Amino acid sequence: MDLIPSFSVDHTKIVPGIFLSRADSVEGGTVTTYDVRLMRPNREPAIDVAAMHSLEHIIATYMRNDPMWKDELIYWGPMGCLTGFYIILKGARTPKEIYPLILAAFRSVEGAEVVPGATAENCGHYLMHNLNMAKYYAARFVEYLEAHKDEATTFEYPKTERLVTGEGKHFYDS
């Protein structure tokens, strides 16, 4: 089987940032998936599950109510490894072009007084939320994005280098 594109990213070198994961042509245009990475994979602890859940609710609510972006947003949700989120948008933009959206969304967490939709009727695990920790992770990410906004590593994936045989086949050592 072919290695899927998200596994070709060198997770030992990735840092927090906003990355283009994939762009897919669909009827009527392009749909683009971005990797919004808050933590350094395999070097920092994963985000607390309850905080991740709260960030998902708060930021999804913010984005789905933002007049400029609400009609472009297809999906906002956590990565299984709990080091960041995926956002899927209509259209084809660079990570730098969605930087203002991501920055504003994470800034919005600071002012949250409750987690939207955290009721038994609205959420599949409504007791699993942690607003205070969500605020911590959001503030940390905002600070990082602002400090590194001019660095290529904030917007460009590090790629895994693979040995290539004389026949052009890629060598995988695992």
Side-chain angles (χ1 to χ4, degrees):
M1 281 192 209
D2 291 335
L3 197 63
I4 63 172
S6 63
F7 294 154
S8 70
V9 176
D10 189 339
H11 285 70
T12 67
K13 295 177 183 167
I14 197 168
V15 296
I18 305 164
F19 309 100
L20 177 72
S21 181
R22 62 183 289 156
D24 296 296
S25 295
V26 296
E27 187 176 323
T30 302
V31 172
T32 307
T33 304
Y34 302 89
D35 169 338
V36 178
R37 191 71 63 146
L38 281 66
M39 309 301 283
R40 290 171 180 86
N42 305 307
R43 289 182 281 161
E44 294 180 298
I47 298 169
D48 170 76
V49 175
M52 190 77 156
H53 191 200
S54 296
L55 286 169
E56 175 192 13
H57 276 236
I58 296 164
I59 293 173
T61 301
Y62 173 86
M63 290 181 178
R64 293 198 184 279
N65 284 281
D66 183 292
M68 188 168 149
W69 293 96
K70 67 181 183 178
D71 294 331
E72 305 301 311
L73 181 66
I74 295 171
Y75 174 79
W76 170 262
M79 295 177 173
C81 63
L82 301 176
T83 61
F85 293 87
Y86 287 113
I87 179 173
I88 303 173
L89 296 170
K90 295 175 188 174
R93 295 172 191 83
T94 67
K96 284 185 180 184
E97 290 175 305
I98 69 162
Y99 173 86
L101 168 65
I102 301 302
L103 191 61
F106 277 88
R107 279 184 178 150
S108 78
V109 177
E110 180 182 5
E113 294 180 15
V114 297
V115 176
T119 66
E121 295 80 15
N122 302 124
C123 178
H125 202 331
Y126 79 100
L127 295 176
M128 188 181 68
H129 285 283
N130 188 331
L131 180 57
N132 289 330
M133 283 305 295
K135 288 181 178 199
Y136 163 78
Y137 287 111
R140 182 178 185 259
F141 189 52
V142 165
E143 182 179 313
Y144 184 92
L145 285 179
E146 291 175 332
H148 299 277
K149 67 182 175 198
D150 296 321
E151 298 174 20
T153 55
T154 304
F155 301 102
E156 297 172 17
Y157 268 146
K159 293 294 181 184
T160 299
E161 294 181 26
R162 305 276 188 206
L163 295 174
V164 181
T165 66
E167 296 84 36
K169 296 197 183 267
H170 291 269
F171 176 76
Y172 298 94
D173 60 357
S174 57

